[in-house]
Amino acid sequence: MSKQQHEKGWKDLALAAVSPKASTEFLTGDWKTFMPVNDVEKCVGCLICVMLCPEGAARGCSEQGKVVFDLNFCKGCGICANECPAKALTMRMPEKDEEGV
Amino acid sequence: MTTTPTTTPTSTSTSIPEEWKFTARDIALKPDLFLSGHRACAGCGPATVLRLVMKALRGPTIVTQATGCMEIVGSIYPYTSWGLPWLHTAFENAAANASGIEAAIKALSKKGKLKQEHIDVIAIAGDGGTYDIGLQALSGAIERDHDFLFILYDNEGYMNTGIQRSGGTPTGASTTTTPAGKIIPGKLEKKKPITDIVLAHDIEYAATATPYYWKDMMTKVRKGLEVKGPAFLHIFAPCPRGWRTEPSKTMSYSKLSVETCTFPIWEAINGKRTLSTPSKMYSLSPQKKKPITNYLEGQGRFRHLFKPENKHIIDQIQQVTDTNWQKLLKQCETTT
Protein backbone atom coordinates (compact mmCIF):
# COMPACT_ATOMS: atom_id res chain seq x y z
CA MET A 1 0.00 0.00 0.00
CA SER A 2 1.41 3.38 -0.96
CA LYS A 3 1.78 6.11 1.64
CA GLN A 4 -0.84 8.31 0.01
CA GLN A 5 -3.49 5.60 0.13
CA HIS A 6 -2.65 4.83 3.72
CA GLU A 7 -3.16 8.44 4.80
CA LYS A 8 -6.71 8.57 3.49
CA GLY A 9 -8.81 9.08 6.61
CA TRP A 10 -12.48 9.06 7.46
CA LYS A 11 -12.81 12.72 6.52
CA ASP A 12 -12.15 11.85 2.88
CA LEU A 13 -15.07 9.47 2.69
CA ALA A 14 -18.42 10.45 1.25
CA LEU A 15 -20.82 11.86 3.84
CA ALA A 16 -23.40 9.10 3.47
CA ALA A 17 -24.48 6.35 1.15
CA VAL A 18 -26.36 8.07 -1.64
CA SER A 19 -28.89 6.46 -3.92
CA PRO A 20 -28.14 8.17 -7.20
CA LYS A 21 -31.44 7.68 -9.02
CA ALA A 22 -35.07 8.61 -8.43
CA SER A 23 -37.39 5.62 -8.45
CA THR A 24 -39.46 7.29 -11.16
CA GLU A 25 -36.83 5.86 -13.52
CA PHE A 26 -37.91 2.36 -12.50
CA LEU A 27 -41.16 1.60 -14.29
CA THR A 28 -43.44 -0.82 -12.48
CA GLY A 29 -46.12 -0.83 -15.18
CA ASP A 30 -45.21 -4.32 -16.39
CA TRP A 31 -46.33 -5.87 -13.07
CA LYS A 32 -49.98 -5.57 -13.92
CA THR A 33 -52.47 -8.01 -15.37
CA PHE A 34 -55.44 -5.67 -15.57
CA MET A 35 -55.35 -2.01 -16.49
CA PRO A 36 -57.77 0.74 -15.41
CA VAL A 37 -59.85 2.37 -18.12
CA ASN A 38 -61.59 5.67 -17.38
CA ASP A 39 -64.96 6.32 -18.98
CA VAL A 40 -64.68 10.09 -19.44
CA GLU A 41 -68.46 10.39 -19.88
CA LYS A 42 -69.10 8.98 -16.41
CA CYS A 43 -66.08 10.46 -14.54
CA VAL A 44 -67.17 13.25 -12.22
CA GLY A 45 -63.64 14.33 -11.30
CA CYS A 46 -63.99 13.64 -7.57
CA LEU A 47 -60.29 12.61 -7.52
CA ILE A 48 -60.87 9.82 -4.97
CA CYS A 49 -58.80 7.44 -7.15
CA VAL A 50 -55.95 9.98 -7.15
CA MET A 51 -56.02 10.04 -3.35
CA LEU A 52 -56.21 6.29 -2.81
CA CYS A 53 -53.80 5.08 -5.52
CA PRO A 54 -50.73 3.58 -3.79
CA GLU A 55 -48.53 4.23 -6.82
CA GLY A 56 -49.46 7.77 -7.70
CA ALA A 57 -50.40 6.36 -11.12
CA ALA A 58 -53.82 8.01 -11.11
CA ARG A 59 -52.72 11.57 -11.31
CA GLY A 60 -53.61 15.09 -12.28
CA CYS A 61 -56.57 16.09 -14.33
CA SER A 62 -57.13 16.56 -18.02
CA GLU A 63 -58.54 19.89 -19.22
CA GLN A 64 -62.08 18.74 -18.47
CA GLY A 65 -61.17 17.88 -14.88
CA LYS A 66 -61.05 14.14 -15.52
CA VAL A 67 -58.47 11.74 -14.12
CA VAL A 68 -55.54 10.62 -16.27
CA PHE A 69 -53.60 7.42 -15.59
CA ASP A 70 -49.88 6.93 -15.90
CA LEU A 71 -49.82 3.28 -16.93
CA ASN A 72 -46.02 3.19 -16.67
CA PHE A 73 -46.42 2.88 -12.90
CA CYS A 74 -49.87 1.28 -12.46
CA LYS A 75 -49.54 -2.17 -10.87
CA GLY A 76 -53.14 -3.06 -11.64
CA CYS A 77 -54.34 -3.44 -8.05
CA GLY A 78 -57.82 -2.15 -8.91
CA ILE A 79 -58.35 0.05 -5.84
CA CYS A 80 -59.41 2.91 -8.13
CA ALA A 81 -62.09 0.85 -9.88
CA ASN A 82 -63.32 -0.56 -6.56
CA GLU A 83 -63.65 2.84 -4.91
CA CYS A 84 -64.94 4.89 -7.87
CA PRO A 85 -68.31 6.33 -6.72
CA ALA A 86 -69.44 7.05 -10.30
CA LYS A 87 -68.45 3.56 -11.54
CA ALA A 88 -66.51 5.24 -14.34
CA LEU A 89 -63.43 3.09 -13.88
CA THR A 90 -63.22 -0.51 -15.04
CA MET A 91 -60.35 -2.97 -15.01
CA ARG A 92 -59.72 -4.88 -18.20
CA MET A 93 -57.10 -7.08 -19.81
CA PRO A 94 -54.83 -4.96 -22.04
CA GLU A 95 -54.78 -5.70 -25.78
CA LYS A 96 -51.57 -6.95 -27.34
CA ASP A 97 -48.99 -4.21 -27.98
CA GLU A 98 -51.07 -1.67 -26.11
CA GLU A 99 -49.21 1.39 -24.89
CA GLY A 100 -47.88 1.57 -21.33
CA VAL A 101 -48.16 -2.15 -20.60
CA MET B 1 -35.88 17.85 -3.96
CA THR B 2 -37.49 20.68 -2.02
CA THR B 3 -40.75 20.94 -0.19
CA THR B 4 -43.12 23.75 -0.98
CA PRO B 5 -44.73 25.33 2.07
CA THR B 6 -48.43 25.92 1.58
CA THR B 7 -48.98 27.97 4.71
CA THR B 8 -46.59 29.84 6.93
CA PRO B 9 -45.49 27.60 9.78
CA THR B 10 -46.68 28.69 13.17
CA SER B 11 -44.07 26.81 15.10
CA THR B 12 -44.01 29.16 18.04
CA SER B 13 -47.59 28.53 19.14
CA THR B 14 -48.18 25.47 21.23
CA SER B 15 -51.93 25.51 20.66
CA ILE B 16 -53.27 23.61 17.69
CA PRO B 17 -54.56 26.04 15.07
CA GLU B 18 -57.90 25.92 13.30
CA GLU B 19 -58.53 23.39 10.51
CA TRP B 20 -56.05 23.32 7.69
CA LYS B 21 -58.08 24.17 4.59
CA PHE B 22 -57.44 22.26 1.40
CA THR B 23 -59.35 20.64 -1.44
CA ALA B 24 -58.86 17.37 -3.29
CA ARG B 25 -57.64 19.35 -6.29
CA ASP B 26 -54.89 21.07 -4.28
CA ILE B 27 -53.65 17.69 -3.12
CA ALA B 28 -53.88 16.11 -6.57
CA LEU B 29 -51.84 18.90 -8.13
CA LYS B 30 -49.18 18.86 -5.41
CA PRO B 31 -46.11 16.92 -6.57
CA ASP B 32 -45.49 13.58 -4.88
CA LEU B 33 -42.64 13.42 -2.37
CA PHE B 34 -42.98 9.65 -2.02
CA LEU B 35 -42.34 8.98 -5.69
CA SER B 36 -43.89 6.47 -8.04
CA GLY B 37 -41.82 3.45 -8.96
CA HIS B 38 -41.45 2.13 -5.42
CA ARG B 39 -41.48 -1.64 -5.17
CA ALA B 40 -44.49 -2.15 -2.84
CA CYS B 41 -46.99 -4.90 -3.65
CA ALA B 42 -50.00 -4.02 -5.78
CA GLY B 43 -52.72 -2.56 -3.56
CA CYS B 44 -50.35 -1.65 -0.70
CA GLY B 45 -52.12 0.30 2.05
CA PRO B 46 -49.02 1.82 3.69
CA ALA B 47 -47.84 3.15 0.30
CA THR B 48 -51.06 5.17 0.02
CA VAL B 49 -50.53 6.38 3.57
CA LEU B 50 -47.01 7.61 2.86
CA ARG B 51 -48.02 9.30 -0.40
CA LEU B 52 -50.74 11.23 1.38
CA VAL B 53 -48.68 12.00 4.49
CA MET B 54 -45.94 13.48 2.31
CA LYS B 55 -48.53 15.75 0.70
CA ALA B 56 -49.58 17.16 4.07
CA LEU B 57 -46.19 18.66 4.98
CA ARG B 58 -45.95 22.35 5.80
CA GLY B 59 -42.33 23.16 4.95
CA PRO B 60 -38.78 21.80 5.00
CA THR B 61 -38.90 18.33 6.53
CA ILE B 62 -36.49 15.53 7.40
CA VAL B 63 -37.88 12.00 7.50
CA THR B 64 -36.32 9.14 9.38
CA GLN B 65 -37.63 5.67 8.99
CA ALA B 66 -37.17 2.42 10.87
CA THR B 67 -36.70 -0.84 9.01
CA GLY B 68 -39.94 -2.16 7.62
CA CYS B 69 -41.87 -2.70 4.42
CA MET B 70 -41.98 0.94 3.47
CA GLU B 71 -38.29 1.47 4.15
CA ILE B 72 -37.36 -1.44 1.90
CA VAL B 73 -39.64 -0.66 -1.03
CA GLY B 74 -38.63 2.98 -1.16
CA SER B 75 -34.88 2.57 -1.12
CA ILE B 76 -33.79 -0.37 -3.24
CA TYR B 77 -30.34 0.52 -4.55
CA PRO B 78 -29.70 2.45 -6.81
CA TYR B 79 -33.17 3.97 -6.66
CA THR B 80 -34.82 6.10 -4.01
CA SER B 81 -38.49 7.01 -3.73
CA TRP B 82 -37.89 9.92 -1.40
CA GLY B 83 -38.02 13.44 -2.73
CA LEU B 84 -36.81 14.92 0.57
CA PRO B 85 -34.00 14.30 3.09
CA TRP B 86 -34.50 10.80 4.37
CA LEU B 87 -32.56 8.68 6.83
CA HIS B 88 -32.83 4.98 7.31
CA THR B 89 -32.26 3.64 10.78
CA ALA B 90 -32.39 0.29 12.55
CA PHE B 91 -35.63 -1.35 13.64
CA GLU B 92 -35.59 -0.13 17.22
CA ASN B 93 -34.56 3.50 17.04
CA ALA B 94 -36.67 5.58 14.67
CA ALA B 95 -37.68 7.82 17.59
CA ALA B 96 -34.12 8.01 18.95
CA ASN B 97 -32.89 9.01 15.51
CA ALA B 98 -35.58 11.70 15.27
CA SER B 99 -34.48 13.06 18.68
CA GLY B 100 -30.91 13.31 17.39
CA ILE B 101 -31.98 15.11 14.22
CA GLU B 102 -34.11 17.52 16.19
CA ALA B 103 -31.25 18.20 18.64
CA ALA B 104 -28.85 18.80 15.74
CA ILE B 105 -31.29 21.26 14.13
CA LYS B 106 -31.55 23.11 17.46
CA ALA B 107 -27.79 23.25 17.86
CA LEU B 108 -27.22 24.46 14.29
CA SER B 109 -29.85 27.16 14.51
CA LYS B 110 -28.34 28.35 17.82
CA LYS B 111 -25.01 28.75 16.03
CA GLY B 112 -26.74 30.52 13.14
CA LYS B 113 -25.67 27.92 10.63
CA LEU B 114 -29.19 27.12 9.44
CA LYS B 115 -30.85 28.92 6.56
CA GLN B 116 -34.34 27.63 7.32
CA GLU B 117 -36.43 29.09 10.11
CA HIS B 118 -37.82 25.77 11.15
CA ILE B 119 -37.39 22.16 10.03
CA ASP B 120 -39.97 19.52 10.81
CA VAL B 121 -38.87 16.03 11.80
CA ILE B 122 -40.99 12.99 11.07
CA ALA B 123 -40.23 9.48 12.26
CA ILE B 124 -42.03 6.66 10.47
CA ALA B 125 -42.16 3.08 11.69
CA GLY B 126 -44.33 0.06 11.17
CA ASP B 127 -46.14 -1.83 13.87
CA GLY B 128 -43.10 -4.02 14.57
CA GLY B 129 -40.91 -0.93 14.93
CA THR B 130 -43.38 0.70 17.33
CA TYR B 131 -45.37 -1.89 19.26
CA ASP B 132 -42.50 -4.27 19.93
CA ILE B 133 -38.99 -3.24 19.05
CA GLY B 134 -39.12 0.55 19.02
CA LEU B 135 -41.28 1.12 22.10
CA GLN B 136 -38.51 2.14 24.50
CA ALA B 137 -36.97 4.58 22.01
CA LEU B 138 -40.40 6.11 21.41
CA SER B 139 -41.14 6.35 25.11
CA GLY B 140 -37.78 7.98 25.77
CA ALA B 141 -38.12 10.49 22.95
CA ILE B 142 -41.58 11.53 24.15
CA GLU B 143 -40.32 11.88 27.71
CA ARG B 144 -37.44 14.10 26.53
CA ASP B 145 -40.03 16.29 24.80
CA HIS B 146 -38.40 16.41 21.37
CA ASP B 147 -40.31 18.27 18.68
CA PHE B 148 -41.18 15.54 16.19
CA LEU B 149 -44.09 13.65 14.71
CA PHE B 150 -44.10 9.88 15.04
CA ILE B 151 -46.15 8.08 12.42
CA LEU B 152 -47.03 4.46 12.99
CA TYR B 153 -48.43 2.65 9.97
CA ASP B 154 -50.10 -0.39 11.40
CA ASN B 155 -50.46 -3.34 9.04
CA GLU B 156 -50.77 -5.76 11.95
CA GLY B 157 -47.69 -7.90 11.51
CA TYR B 158 -44.11 -8.19 10.29
CA MET B 159 -45.18 -8.36 6.67
CA ASN B 160 -41.76 -7.56 5.22
CA THR B 161 -40.01 -10.57 6.74
CA GLY B 162 -42.77 -13.07 6.00
CA ILE B 163 -45.94 -12.26 7.95
CA GLN B 164 -44.87 -13.01 11.53
CA ARG B 165 -47.04 -12.00 14.46
CA SER B 166 -46.40 -8.67 16.17
CA GLY B 167 -47.85 -6.88 19.18
CA GLY B 168 -50.26 -5.28 16.74
CA THR B 169 -51.69 -8.50 15.33
CA PRO B 170 -55.34 -8.91 16.39
CA THR B 171 -56.78 -11.95 18.18
CA GLY B 172 -57.56 -14.87 15.90
CA ALA B 173 -55.33 -13.82 13.01
CA SER B 174 -53.33 -16.57 11.38
CA THR B 175 -49.69 -15.62 10.75
CA THR B 176 -46.65 -17.74 9.98
CA THR B 177 -45.68 -17.78 13.68
CA THR B 178 -49.26 -18.29 14.91
CA PRO B 179 -50.54 -20.65 12.20
CA ALA B 180 -54.18 -21.65 12.53
CA GLY B 181 -54.64 -25.40 12.73
CA LYS B 182 -55.48 -28.21 15.12
CA ILE B 183 -53.49 -26.77 18.03
CA ILE B 184 -54.23 -23.02 17.97
CA PRO B 185 -56.86 -20.99 16.11
CA GLY B 186 -54.50 -18.17 15.12
CA LYS B 187 -53.12 -15.61 17.57
CA LEU B 188 -54.51 -16.10 21.07
CA GLU B 189 -53.42 -12.81 22.60
CA LYS B 190 -54.94 -9.34 22.35
CA LYS B 191 -53.73 -6.38 20.32
CA LYS B 192 -51.64 -3.96 22.35
CA PRO B 193 -53.39 -0.59 22.96
CA ILE B 194 -50.44 1.42 21.71
CA THR B 195 -52.12 4.83 21.50
CA ASP B 196 -53.28 4.52 25.12
CA ILE B 197 -49.70 3.73 26.12
CA VAL B 198 -48.47 6.81 24.27
CA LEU B 199 -51.25 8.94 25.77
CA ALA B 200 -50.14 7.88 29.24
CA HIS B 201 -46.99 9.98 28.63
CA ASP B 202 -49.18 13.13 28.78
CA ILE B 203 -48.48 13.82 25.13
CA GLU B 204 -50.00 16.95 23.61
CA TYR B 205 -51.32 15.37 20.44
CA ALA B 206 -52.09 11.73 19.65
CA ALA B 207 -54.55 10.50 17.06
CA THR B 208 -55.66 7.48 15.09
CA ALA B 209 -56.48 7.58 11.38
CA THR B 210 -57.02 5.39 8.37
CA PRO B 211 -56.34 6.20 4.69
CA TYR B 212 -59.91 5.70 3.43
CA TYR B 213 -60.77 8.91 5.29
CA TRP B 214 -57.82 10.66 3.70
CA LYS B 215 -58.94 14.19 4.45
CA ASP B 216 -59.19 13.40 8.15
CA MET B 217 -55.81 11.65 8.04
CA MET B 218 -54.00 14.51 6.32
CA THR B 219 -55.50 17.08 8.68
CA LYS B 220 -54.21 15.02 11.59
CA VAL B 221 -50.72 14.90 10.08
CA ARG B 222 -50.74 18.67 9.77
CA LYS B 223 -52.00 19.08 13.33
CA GLY B 224 -49.27 16.76 14.57
CA LEU B 225 -46.65 18.87 12.80
CA GLU B 226 -48.01 22.11 14.24
CA VAL B 227 -47.62 20.85 17.80
CA LYS B 228 -44.45 22.04 19.51
CA GLY B 229 -43.29 18.86 21.12
CA PRO B 230 -43.86 15.20 20.37
CA ALA B 231 -46.96 14.09 18.49
CA PHE B 232 -48.09 10.57 17.68
CA LEU B 233 -50.23 9.34 14.83
CA HIS B 234 -51.48 5.76 14.57
CA ILE B 235 -52.53 4.98 11.00
CA PHE B 236 -54.32 1.75 10.21
CA ALA B 237 -53.08 0.49 6.84
CA PRO B 238 -54.42 -2.78 5.41
CA CYS B 239 -51.87 -5.11 3.80
CA PRO B 240 -53.29 -7.33 1.02
CA ARG B 241 -50.33 -9.70 1.09
CA GLY B 242 -50.28 -10.34 4.83
CA TRP B 243 -54.02 -10.25 5.36
CA ARG B 244 -54.54 -12.43 2.28
CA THR B 245 -57.14 -10.13 0.79
CA GLU B 246 -57.86 -8.93 -2.74
CA PRO B 247 -55.51 -6.04 -3.63
CA SER B 248 -58.50 -4.04 -4.86
CA LYS B 249 -60.23 -4.34 -1.46
CA THR B 250 -57.47 -2.61 0.56
CA MET B 251 -59.43 0.59 1.04
CA SER B 252 -62.67 -1.31 1.66
CA TYR B 253 -61.07 -2.90 4.71
CA SER B 254 -59.78 0.48 5.79
CA LYS B 255 -63.39 1.70 5.64
CA LEU B 256 -64.83 -1.44 7.27
CA SER B 257 -62.43 -1.13 10.20
CA VAL B 258 -64.15 2.14 11.09
CA GLU B 259 -67.67 0.94 10.23
CA THR B 260 -67.38 -2.11 12.49
CA CYS B 261 -65.61 -0.03 15.19
CA THR B 262 -62.61 -2.38 15.10
CA PHE B 263 -60.43 0.66 14.64
CA PRO B 264 -62.32 3.79 15.69
CA ILE B 265 -60.67 7.04 14.66
CA TRP B 266 -60.26 9.78 17.22
CA GLU B 267 -57.81 12.39 18.37
CA ALA B 268 -56.62 13.49 21.78
CA ILE B 269 -55.52 17.07 22.28
CA ASN B 270 -53.89 17.58 25.69
CA GLY B 271 -55.50 14.33 26.82
CA LYS B 272 -59.00 15.36 25.73
CA ARG B 273 -60.30 12.67 23.44
CA THR B 274 -62.78 13.43 20.69
CA LEU B 275 -64.14 11.05 18.09
CA SER B 276 -63.47 12.11 14.50
CA THR B 277 -66.45 12.57 12.21
CA PRO B 278 -66.50 9.09 10.55
CA SER B 279 -66.46 7.35 13.95
CA LYS B 280 -68.75 9.90 15.57
CA MET B 281 -71.52 8.73 13.25
CA TYR B 282 -71.50 5.33 14.93
CA SER B 283 -71.68 6.84 18.39
CA LEU B 284 -74.69 8.97 17.41
CA SER B 285 -76.51 6.17 15.59
CA PRO B 286 -75.29 2.84 16.96
CA GLN B 287 -77.72 0.87 14.78
CA LYS B 288 -75.55 1.72 11.75
CA LYS B 289 -72.58 -0.08 13.28
CA LYS B 290 -71.79 -3.22 11.26
CA PRO B 291 -71.17 -6.67 12.75
CA ILE B 292 -67.56 -7.78 13.00
CA THR B 293 -68.14 -10.62 10.50
CA ASN B 294 -68.38 -8.02 7.71
CA TYR B 295 -64.78 -7.10 8.47
CA LEU B 296 -63.47 -10.62 9.10
CA GLU B 297 -64.91 -12.37 6.05
CA GLY B 298 -62.86 -12.12 2.91
CA GLN B 299 -59.64 -11.88 4.89
CA GLY B 300 -57.62 -15.07 4.45
CA ARG B 301 -55.97 -14.66 7.85
CA PHE B 302 -59.40 -15.05 9.54
CA ARG B 303 -60.72 -17.77 7.22
CA HIS B 304 -60.42 -20.53 9.84
CA LEU B 305 -62.71 -18.60 12.24
CA PHE B 306 -65.71 -19.37 10.04
CA LYS B 307 -65.38 -23.11 10.71
CA PRO B 308 -68.10 -24.32 13.12
CA GLU B 309 -65.61 -25.26 15.88
CA ASN B 310 -64.15 -21.73 15.92
CA LYS B 311 -67.46 -19.86 15.97
CA HIS B 312 -66.96 -18.86 19.62
CA ILE B 313 -63.83 -16.90 18.70
CA ILE B 314 -65.85 -14.61 16.43
CA ASP B 315 -68.28 -13.99 19.30
CA GLN B 316 -65.32 -13.28 21.54
CA ILE B 317 -63.82 -10.81 19.04
CA GLN B 318 -67.21 -9.09 18.71
CA GLN B 319 -67.47 -8.84 22.48
CA VAL B 320 -63.96 -7.39 22.87
CA THR B 321 -64.63 -4.89 20.05
CA ASP B 322 -67.88 -3.78 21.69
CA THR B 323 -66.21 -3.45 25.10
CA ASN B 324 -63.37 -1.38 23.65
CA TRP B 325 -65.82 0.82 21.75
CA GLN B 326 -67.91 1.44 24.88
CA LYS B 327 -64.74 2.18 26.82
CA LEU B 328 -63.66 4.69 24.18
CA LEU B 329 -67.09 6.34 24.18
CA LYS B 330 -66.86 6.75 27.92
CA GLN B 331 -63.36 8.21 27.67
CA CYS B 332 -64.57 10.66 25.06
CA GLU B 333 -67.52 11.66 27.25
CA THR B 334 -65.61 12.05 30.47
CA THR B 335 -62.78 14.09 29.07
CA THR B 336 -64.76 16.52 26.92
Side-chain angles (χ1 to χ4, degrees):
Chain A
M1 201 182 274
S2 72
K3 202 185 171 189
Q4 237 178 358
Q5 262 180 326
H6 188 73
E7 279 173 357
K8 203 174 182 183
W10 62 273
K11 282 182 180 172
D12 304 314
L13 294 173
L15 276 175
V18 177
S19 299
K21 286 177 186 169
S23 69
T24 39
E25 287 176 41
F26 186 87
L27 305 183
T28 50
D30 53 353
W31 292 22
K32 66 173 162 295
T33 311
F34 297 102
M35 59 184 268
V37 182
N38 190 10
D39 186 344
V40 183
E41 299 271 293
K42 286 186 192 167
C43 178
V44 292
C46 65
L47 304 176
I48 285 177
C49 49
V50 179
M51 295 303 145
L52 300 184
C53 178
E55 312 306 324
R59 60 172 70 151
C61 329
S62 66
E63 282 169 22
Q64 297 90 31
K66 314 288 180 184
V67 174
V68 186
F69 283 89
D70 188 341
L71 293 176
N72 285 325
F73 295 109
C74 173
K75 290 173 188 164
C77 62
I79 289 179
C80 48
N82 196 47
E83 300 302 333
C84 182
K87 301 269 173 272
L89 287 166
T90 41
M91 301 299 287
R92 71 163 167 82
M93 226 32 177
E95 308 286 324
K96 251 188 185 177
D97 307 323
E98 201 161 352
E99 212 183 317
V101 184
Chain B
M1 293 284 169
T2 50
T3 54
T4 44
T6 47
T7 54
T8 43
T10 51
S11 55
T12 44
S13 68
T14 44
S15 62
I16 291 154
E18 72 283 6
E19 296 260 308
W20 169 48
K21 298 274 189 300
F22 64 92
T23 63
R25 208 182 154 78
D26 298 340
I27 301 303
L29 293 175
K30 232 179 166 186
D32 271 327
L33 288 172
F34 184 66
L35 304 173
S36 306
H38 58 78
R39 251 68 75 78
C41 314
C44 180
T48 308
V49 169
L50 286 200
R51 261 193 69 234
L52 293 176
V53 165
M54 289 305 134
K55 285 191 179 209
L57 304 181
R58 59 171 184 168
T61 309
I62 297 175
V63 176
T64 177
Q65 200 172 17
T67 305
C69 280
M70 287 298 105
E71 179 268 321
I72 301 291
V73 301
S75 63
I76 295 176
Y77 193 80
Y79 302 99
T80 175
S81 291
W82 292 89
L84 73 180
W86 175 85
L87 272 106
H88 164 231
T89 183
F91 228 137
E92 63 273 31
N93 51 9
N97 212 14
S99 332
I101 295 167
E102 195 254 355
I105 290 168
K106 249 187 206 168
L108 284 174
S109 69
K110 234 181 225 172
K111 289 179 187 168
K113 285 184 178 174
L114 212 63
K115 283 181 210 159
Q116 290 87 349
E117 228 174 78
H118 184 81
I119 299 176
D120 291 316
V121 182
I122 297 182
I124 301 172
D127 55 309
T130 313
Y131 279 88
D132 305 341
I133 310 173
L135 188 59
Q136 56 85 15
L138 173 63
S139 180
I142 293 173
E143 188 269 323
R144 290 190 302 271
D145 209 27
H146 289 288
D147 180 13
F148 74 110
L149 169 65
F150 193 97
I151 291 175
L152 150 66
Y153 68 89
D154 183 5
N155 54 13
E156 306 199 315
Y158 292 87
M159 303 313 182
N160 168 41
T161 49
I163 321 170
Q164 286 88 5
R165 106 195 242 293
S166 80
T169 310
T171 317
S174 171
T175 64
T176 50
T177 43
T178 56
K182 281 176 194 164
I183 299 167
I184 51 162
K187 187 183 165 179
L188 299 168
E189 299 82 14
K190 284 179 197 162
K191 185 176 169 130
K192 198 191 273 186
I194 187 77
T195 322
D196 293 342
I197 295 171
V198 172
L199 265 181
H201 292 76
D202 272 342
I203 191 169
E204 192 177 337
Y205 188 79
T208 64
T210 191
Y212 182 82
Y213 301 100
W214 51 270
K215 208 161 184 172
D216 170 78
M217 184 178 85
M218 292 173 80
T219 313
K220 282 171 178 167
V221 173
R222 179 57 76 95
K223 278 184 182 174
L225 288 171
E226 300 279 357
V227 169
K228 205 183 177 200
F232 181 81
L233 190 55
H234 181 180
I235 301 177
F236 190 72
C239 166
R241 181 68 192 84
W243 296 14
R244 310 196 190 278
T245 57
E246 283 279 320
S248 63
K249 295 274 159 47
T250 305
M251 291 302 149
S252 309
Y253 285 110
S254 165
K255 190 185 175 194
L256 273 169
S257 69
V258 173
E259 287 178 339
T260 57
C261 299
T262 316
F263 189 83
I265 50 179
W266 49 270
E267 60 183 353
I269 303 171
N270 290 323
K272 277 187 186 175
R273 292 193 206 207
T274 35
L275 285 174
S276 303
T277 322
S279 270
K280 208 172 201 167
M281 204 176 97
Y282 301 102
S283 84
L284 296 174
S285 48
Q287 72 279 6
K288 279 188 184 161
K289 192 172 152 233
K290 289 185 178 169
I292 195 84
T293 43
N294 284 25
Y295 171 71
L296 299 181
E297 69 190 1
Q299 290 191 43
R301 59 175 183 163
F302 292 122
R303 195 178 54 183
H304 57 282
L305 296 183
F306 290 89
K307 285 179 187 167
E309 69 266 27
N310 288 333
K311 210 77 190 172
H312 67 280
I313 297 169
I314 294 187
D315 297 336
Q316 190 193 326
I317 294 172
Q318 178 74 65
Q319 210 180 348
V320 171
T321 311
D322 287 344
T323 320
N324 285 347
W325 173 240
Q326 291 305 329
K327 202 169 131 192
L328 179 67
L329 286 182
K330 246 181 214 167
Q331 282 165 334
C332 293
E333 268 171 31
T334 49
T335 51
T336 47

